[in-house]
């Protein structure tokens, strides 16, 4: 909590000293957030953004894990997709937006496809590496105990790769948020990105800073509620420093 | 009478086994094992020794049904071995316990496909852990266990499938001497005393001579049988027993004789047949 308090203090002092509309203090930012909460624009934007984030991220996890496993295990997929994945990781996902709009029109599908593409690549790359590093002894032992095919994949290969897959999933979440916000900024369709755009248009610096703060808090909350418990559990099982 | 006749058939009959290894990118294959034949009887302990990279682990994988031979076959009492079977359990060097499962869950994993109820699995796994002296450790994860405990956990998991054949890949390396001796005793009492045939791959000649009824020496690559030593002395044996020392000397001789020939061959190759040397070097990688 102390670093947060220090940051708030420095911010307050700076805005007081500058006394410029370009750097509103924490209180004005708080007031802007409260007023946009009251008029319903912020809650609605939050719901919109979160619904997109949730659907896009879940789809990206599913496709990413499947793509990663296939790249690691299926020779012809590795030959065709292996290098492509690395290449794709160099393309900022928002670059897909114009294409997505041409394909899907100004629709949710266009935004969603950008989020999925953005988050899928790190998940797939991490999954591929994790699956390839699963010790063959584990799978061999399981096969002599009667496991095979999809059962072997689900009960042995994926759990054995879970540490790496979780790292990819965490990375993928960041990618999903970035892709979504970028898409929402470009493509006016509700959500926090649009609130940011509106804030810029109206010269409402307090609102812009407020939305960024909200994103920061959301990132912290997801980390605390979702990723930290998973990582703690993995450390408890696999061992290692927590 | 009939049952006795059945009991006489070996647990495993390995005949003219040649196993190819896929090599990296070009998809070409090189033989890792060459024309290996032997039988494994009920309750017998068979050791396979030889230098690293000679195909010992490949042989074990073939006996588990994990790799298919290019030529020859592994025949069990139930017919030709074409896929992994729970009748052949395998224990690897570090035990290969599943790190995300507790010790008890590791054992129940092996029971899952045997049609027991949840309660029976729990009962049986607790019983198995008691038999390997790990009662009370069932809730621990593998990283919380010592090397010897991991190995005993792997024994319990192997026992769970009620195997006819136990395959061990360098199971006792990286353990201290006292733990090793304990595990040797447990291996014999848990498995071979109950008629389970054991194939143990090791590069430790003394260990082979202490445990085995018969020792097969592989050399290569590709790995082929260059010598076979039978030891008819009761167990437990000690490292300084005369039989053990004599067997070790025989084994060492079998291995060095072969090495000598190899040096000679290499010399011949250098002075003309370079291709042979190249093949040998490539094969050795």
């Amino acid at each position: 909590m102390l670093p947060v308090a220090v940051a708030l203090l420095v911010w307050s002092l700076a805005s007081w000293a500058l006394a410029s509309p370009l750097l509103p203090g924490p209180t004005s930012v708080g007031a802007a957030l409260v007023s946009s909460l009251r008029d319903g624009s912020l809650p609605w934007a939050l719901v919109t953004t979160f619904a997109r984030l949730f659907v896009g991220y879940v789809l990206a996890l599913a496709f990413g894990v499947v793509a990663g496993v296939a790249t690691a295990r299926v020779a012809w997929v590795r030959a065709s997709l292996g290098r492509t994945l690395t290449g794709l990781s160099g393309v900022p996902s928002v670059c897909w937006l114009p294409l997505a709009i041409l394909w899907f029109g100004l629709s949710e599908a266009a935004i969603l496809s950008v989020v999925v593409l953005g988050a899928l690549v790190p998940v797939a790359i991490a999954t591929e590496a994790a699956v390839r590093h699963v010790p063959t002894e584990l799978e061999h032992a399981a096969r002599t105990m009667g496991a095979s095919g999809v059962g072997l994949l689900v009960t042995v290969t994926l759990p054995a790769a879970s540490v790496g897959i979780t790292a990819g999933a965490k990375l993928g979440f960041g990618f999903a948020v970035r892709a979504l916000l970028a898409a929402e900024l470009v493509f006016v369709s509700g959500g926090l990105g649009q609130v940011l755009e509106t804030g810029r248009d109206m010269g409402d610096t307090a609102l812009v800073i407020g939305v960024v703060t909200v994103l920061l808090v959301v990132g912290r909350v997801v980390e605390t509620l979702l990723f930290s418990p998973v990582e703690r559990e993995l450390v408890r099982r696999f061992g290692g420093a927590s | 009478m009939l049952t006795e006749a059945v009991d006489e058939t070996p647990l495993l009959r390995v005949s003219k086994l040649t196993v190819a290894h896929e090599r990296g990118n070009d998809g070409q294959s090189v033989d890792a094992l060459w024309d290996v034949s032997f039988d494994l009887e009920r309750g017998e302990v068979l050791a396979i020794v030889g230098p690293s990279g000679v195909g010992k682990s490949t042989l074990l994988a073939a006996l588990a049904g994990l790799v298919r031979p290019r030529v020859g076959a592994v025949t069990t009492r139930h017919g030709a071995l074409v896929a992994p079977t729970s009748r052949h359990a395998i224990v690897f060097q570090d035990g290969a316990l599943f790190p995300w499962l507790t010790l008890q869950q590791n054992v129940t994993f092996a029971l899952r496909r045997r049609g027991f109820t949840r309660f029976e699995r729990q009962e049986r796994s607790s019983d198995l852990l008691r038999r390997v002296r790990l009662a009370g450790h069932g809730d621990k994860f593998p990283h919380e266990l010592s090397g010897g405990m991991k190995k005993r956990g792997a024994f319990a998991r192997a026992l769970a499938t009620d195997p006819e054949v136990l395959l061990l890949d360098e199971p006792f390396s990286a353990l201290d001497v006292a733990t090793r001796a304990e595990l040797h005793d447990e291996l014999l009492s848990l498995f071979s005393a109950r008629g389970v045939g054991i194939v143990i791959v090791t590069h430790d000649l003394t260990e082979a001579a202490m445990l085995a009824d018969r020792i097969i020496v592989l050399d290569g690559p590709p790995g082929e049988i260059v010598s076979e030593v039978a030891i008819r002395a009761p167990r437990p044996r000690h490292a300084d027993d005369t039989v053990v020392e004599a067997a070790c000397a025989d084994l060492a001789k079998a291995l060095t004789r072969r090495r000598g020939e190899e040096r000679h061959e290499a010399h011949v190759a250098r002075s003309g047949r370079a291709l042979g040397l190249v093949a040998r070097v490539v094969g050795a990688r």
Side-chain angles (χ1 to χ4, degrees), chain A residues 97 100-111 186-189:
Chain A
L97 189 63
I101 292 174
L102 288 175
W103 281 355
F104 303 114
L106 292 165
S107 65
E108 287 297 322
I111 289 195
V186 176
F187 176 138
V188 177
S189 68

Side-chain angles (χ1 to χ4, degrees), chain B residues 66-267:
Chain B
L66 291 162
V67 298
R68 298 284 298 278
R70 186 168 73 76
V71 181
V74 178
T75 313
T76 71
R77 289 180 171 187
H78 314 273
L81 184 69
V82 292
T85 159
S86 56
R87 285 189 290 265
H88 295 191
I90 190 160
V91 172
F92 292 98
Q93 180 172 352
D94 67 350
L97 291 173
F98 304 128
W100 60 95
L101 298 178
T102 63
L103 185 55
Q104 183 133 20
Q105 286 168 339
N106 264 280
V107 179
T108 50
F109 184 98
L111 294 166
R112 248 188 239 174
R113 283 162 191 83
R114 294 188 59 200
F116 295 120
T117 65
R118 200 186 168 80
F119 178 73
E120 285 170 329
R121 287 204 298 263
Q122 211 63 24
E123 288 286 288
R124 276 183 173 251
S125 56
S126 301
D127 182 52
L128 287 166
L129 288 178
R130 250 193 310 280
R131 273 165 65 189
V132 297
R133 297 188 295 118
L134 284 177
H137 295 285
D139 290 336
K140 289 189 177 155
F141 286 99
H143 76 95
E144 298 170 300
L145 304 172
S146 71
M149 287 161 90
K150 274 186 209 165
K151 208 58 52 66
R152 295 211 301 271
F155 283 171
R157 193 175 65 175
L159 280 169
T161 56
D162 208 3
E164 291 177 359
V165 176
L166 178 67
L167 307 165
L168 300 157
D169 195 354
E170 301 281 3
F172 306 119
S173 43
L175 292 174
D176 61 90
V177 181
T179 310
R180 233 179 222 236
E182 265 177 37
L183 286 170
H184 284 176
D185 292 345
E186 282 176 15
L187 176 71
L188 297 171
S189 63
L190 290 169
F191 294 94
S192 66
R194 298 162 156 267
V196 177
I198 296 179
V199 180
I200 174 168
V201 155
T202 176
H203 55 242
D204 183 337
L205 301 183
T206 312
E207 181 166 82
M210 283 167 68
L211 285 173
D213 299 301
R214 210 147 47 93
I215 301 167
I216 284 174
V217 183
L218 284 186
D219 206 350
E224 49 185 322
I225 299 182
V226 294
S227 176
E228 202 178 311
V229 177
I231 307 179
R232 298 180 210 295
R235 282 178 296 244
R237 304 175 194 143
H238 290 281
D240 48 5
D241 285 355
T242 334
V243 267
V244 172
E245 283 180 345
C248 282
D250 284 353
L251 294 170
K253 213 181 296 166
L255 282 165
T256 45
R257 195 189 314 129
R258 171 71 182 209
R259 294 285 119 180
E261 281 168 21
E262 203 164 297
R263 269 196 295 280
H264 176 68
E265 259 176 59
H267 176 74

Side-chain angles (χ1 to χ4, degrees), chain A residues 58-242:
Chain A
V58 168
L59 287 175
L61 279 185
F63 289 134
V65 168
V66 170
V69 170
T71 312
R73 287 298 163 82
V74 185
W76 65 266
V77 179
R78 176 157 66 243
S80 52
L81 203 59
R83 301 245 163 82
T84 317
L85 272 180
T86 326
L88 276 177
S89 69
V91 181
S93 48
V94 74
C95 293
W96 297 105
L97 189 63
L99 185 63
I101 292 174
L102 288 175
W103 281 355
F104 303 114
L106 292 165
S107 65
E108 287 297 322
I111 289 195
L112 212 56
S113 61
V114 171
V115 176
V116 173
L117 266 174
L120 178 152
V121 175
V123 174
I125 290 176
T127 303
E128 189 248 355
V131 167
R132 266 201 297 158
H133 287 103
V134 169
T136 44
E137 283 89 3
L138 295 182
E139 289 179 341
H140 279 179
R143 283 170 66 195
T144 64
M145 291 177 243
S148 62
V150 178
L152 179 70
L153 182 72
V154 172
T155 58
V156 177
T157 313
L158 290 180
S162 56
V163 174
I165 294 176
T166 305
K170 201 170 155 178
L171 213 57
F173 184 77
F175 274 65
V177 175
R178 266 176 265 173
L180 178 57
L181 263 293
E184 284 182 352
L185 274 171
V186 176
F187 176 138
V188 177
S189 68
L192 288 173
Q194 195 185 345
V195 177
L196 281 173
E197 245 337 71
T198 316
R200 187 189 62 101
D201 286 343
M202 317 270 281
D204 190 347
T205 323
L207 183 62
V208 171
I209 295 179
V211 171
V212 173
T213 317
V214 166
L215 284 171
L216 209 81
V217 171
V218 164
R220 265 321 275 148
V221 169
V222 169
E223 166 71 32
T224 314
L225 294 185
L226 185 64
F227 293 117
S228 291
V230 171
E231 283 172 328
R232 266 200 305 277
E233 181 61 17
L234 288 176
V235 167
R236 189 173 82 84
R237 286 170 179 249
F238 286 81
S242 47

Side-chain angles (χ1 to χ4, degrees), chain B residues 10-28:
Chain B
L11 289 178
L12 284 180
R13 169 151 286 169
V14 178
S15 47
K16 302 205 165 295
L17 200 70
T18 295
V19 181
H21 243 343
E22 285 267 319
R23 213 181 43 198
N25 312 320
D26 50 8
Q28 278 192 323

